[in-house]
Amino acid sequence: MPNIPKMQKAMVFDKPNGPLEYRDIPVPTPGPDEILVNVKYSGVCHTDLHAWHGDWPLDTKLPLVGGHEGAGVVVAAGNLVTNFQIGDYAGIKWLNGSCLSCEFCKHGGESNCADAILSGYTVDGSFQQYAIAKAIHAAPIPKSCDLAEIAPILCAGITVYKALKTSGARPGEFVTIVGAGGGLGSLAVQYAKAMGLRPIGIDGGDEKAALVKKLGGEHFVDFTKSKDIVQEVIDYTEGGSHAVLNLSASSGPLNASVKYVRPMGTVVVVGLPPDAKISADVFNQVVKSISIKGSYVGNRADTDEAIDFFARGLVKVPIEIRPLNELADVFRNMEEGKIVGRVVLKCSD
Ligand code: NAD
Ligand code: ZN
């Protein structure tokens, strides 16, 4: 049996925007239906930054250990757990658990469950060395996968894969990815390509342009330089993008996306800028028959499928590995839009 310490290192904050402290805290004990994961790596998602700011109309647990892209090794399991063995690789996802018996869970809408518990938000997450997950919701990770590289699949990957399915775009159609050089976006470009779609990226700066092109983006629109983003997308796609994924944490681009989407196309809303509203012209929406849909992470089947694309080498995760105690600095870089791809924190040896 693995040797589990009593205390561990974690990144903790006590109040919104309060100091992010590298602390010694107790290692939690798994309940009967839970596993304890020795987290090796955790991606840093923009959602973790929203949680620290207290941006959203949903309170976090306090004090909080954030993080929901944790990849590691199962070191303990409760007596009801049948789907993980000690030593297996497991992923800590945003959706830590759900009731599995409500209307939404029964139809595969586990993320819409009113009793869902959320890693790094309503329960402690993966910015620590040992984290708890409900076994039934934890992601099974094949042993062939690199734990640092797969970590961002556990939120960013699942989310964009599900959002692309939600868009209804068919092979050969254009999908415009807003925030294409960020954590979600850099994966969305590749899932889109692997699904036979034609990705167009929108983001800012030459480094992000180069990344999007390298990952398979067919065209790049720089929002810091373009004189008319709407016209640029319409011209390139010869009539508008069949689908749009809004992945940025800014509210500005939402209203542009309903203008350059193609008639009968779908705008998928994924990024969660605080207090944002979408304003769509009713005449335009009706005569172009546009759909606007929200998409929120993914269920267990989406998880397995998103991991399978990664395991088959169809999606590469552009990561920079940094120590766990540099979280505050990573948040600063993220706020400034300076992170190209995803930062992954090394949580344990
Ligand atoms: P990120 O910071 O890694 O990436 C965001 C990207 O958007 C950056 O590259 C930034 O340069 C770009 N951007 C900023 N303003 C822009 C503009 N005006 N036009 C185009 N691009 C612009 O963030 P992330 O981790 O990819 O997360 C993005 C958002 O998605 C966050 O709000 C996060 O909370 C949300 N999110 C939602 C879900 C869900 O299930 N719906 C899941 C995960 C994350
Ligand atoms: Zn996330």
Side-chain angles (χ1 to χ4, degrees):
M1 290 300 269
N3 187 15
I4 303 167
K6 294 245 174 324
M7 299 295 284
Q8 60 160 335
K9 293 289 187 195
M11 289 304 300
V12 191
F13 63 89
D14 295 309
K15 56 174 194 210
N17 298 308
L20 287 155
E21 288 182 357
Y22 187 55
R23 274 190 208 158
D24 291 295
I25 64 165
V27 171
T29 306
D33 59 345
E34 293 173 337
I35 53 173
L36 181 66
V37 179
N38 174 208
V39 182
K40 300 294 186 189
Y41 295 94
S42 176
V44 182
C45 177
H46 209 114
T47 293
D48 299 312
L49 180 56
H50 293 299
W52 177 56
H53 282 323
D55 269 351
W56 295 338
L58 175 67
D59 288 339
T60 68
K61 154 188 186 295
L62 288 171
L64 181 70
V65 176
H68 57 274
E69 290 184 346
V73 181
V74 178
V75 291
N79 59 1
L80 298 178
V81 175
T82 55
N83 60 331
F84 281 101
Q85 307 284 328
I86 307 299
D88 283 351
Y89 283 180
I92 309 262
K93 306 182 285 118
W94 173 249
L95 195 60
N96 191 291
S98 72
C99 80
L100 298 176
S101 58
C102 71
E103 170 192 346
F104 306 109
C105 282
K106 281 179 180 164
H107 287 102
E110 296 152 4
S111 48
N112 306 107
C113 174
D115 296 325
I117 55 173
L118 310 172
S119 306
Y121 207 93
T122 63
V123 293
D124 284 341
S126 52
F127 296 155
Q128 55 183 339
Q129 294 177 305
Y130 292 88
I132 296 263
K134 295 285 181 197
I136 216 77
H137 271 286
I141 298 177
K143 275 285 170 77
S144 59
C145 294
D146 180 276
L147 289 175
E149 284 177 15
I150 200 170
I153 300 292
L154 298 164
C155 173
I158 296 167
T159 300
V160 300
Y161 172 67
K162 169 64 181 285
L164 286 163
K165 289 204 289 186
T166 299
S167 79
R170 291 171 300 185
E173 293 188 337
F174 288 110
V175 56
T176 298
I177 295 161
V178 183
L184 268 62
S186 57
L187 296 181
V189 171
Q190 299 176 75
Y191 277 102
K193 187 96 182 157
M195 292 160 84
L197 304 170
R198 300 177 66 182
I200 296 172
I202 305 184
D203 210 312
D206 294 344
E207 227 184 323
K208 293 189 181 176
L211 178 72
V212 169
K213 287 277 176 69
K214 186 177 121 198
L215 298 177
E218 203 176 291
H219 183 66
F220 183 81
V221 179
D222 190 325
F223 78 89
T224 64
K225 294 181 189 155
S226 175
K227 294 207 168 46
D228 188 345
I229 293 170
V230 171
Q231 200 54 49
E232 211 177 312
V233 175
I234 291 175
D235 288 348
Y236 187 80
T237 55
E238 298 181 349
S241 190
H242 299 86
V244 186
L245 260 50
N246 274 290
L247 306 179
S248 93
S250 319
S251 57
L254 285 164
N255 296 337
S257 67
V258 295
K259 295 188 182 140
Y260 59 66
V261 69
R262 206 177 188 91
M264 297 181 71
T266 302
V267 170
V268 186
V269 182
V270 176
L272 288 155
D275 303 318
K277 304 263 183 298
I278 306 184
S279 154
D281 177 74
V282 170
F283 183 81
N284 194 38
Q285 177 145 6
V286 173
V287 299
K288 284 172 71 182
S289 308
I290 295 163
S291 304
I292 301 175
K293 292 184 176 177
S295 187
Y296 182 32
V297 288
N299 64 19
R300 289 170 294 157
D302 300 317
T303 300
D304 290 349
E305 290 164 27
I307 288 176
D308 186 55
F309 273 68
F310 172 82
R312 287 187 289 128
L314 296 169
V315 172
K316 306 268 182 239
V317 187
I319 54 168
E320 182 198 348
I321 299 177
R322 296 181 60 174
L324 177 60
N325 60 6
E326 290 187 8
L327 178 62
D329 196 44
V330 175
F331 277 169
R332 250 190 307 279
N333 296 156
M334 183 173 268
E335 197 105 65
E336 292 161 358
K338 285 191 185 147
I339 294 176
V340 180
R342 197 53 126 200
V343 170
V344 168
L345 302 176
K346 184 170 183 352
C347 301
S348 310
D349 288 329

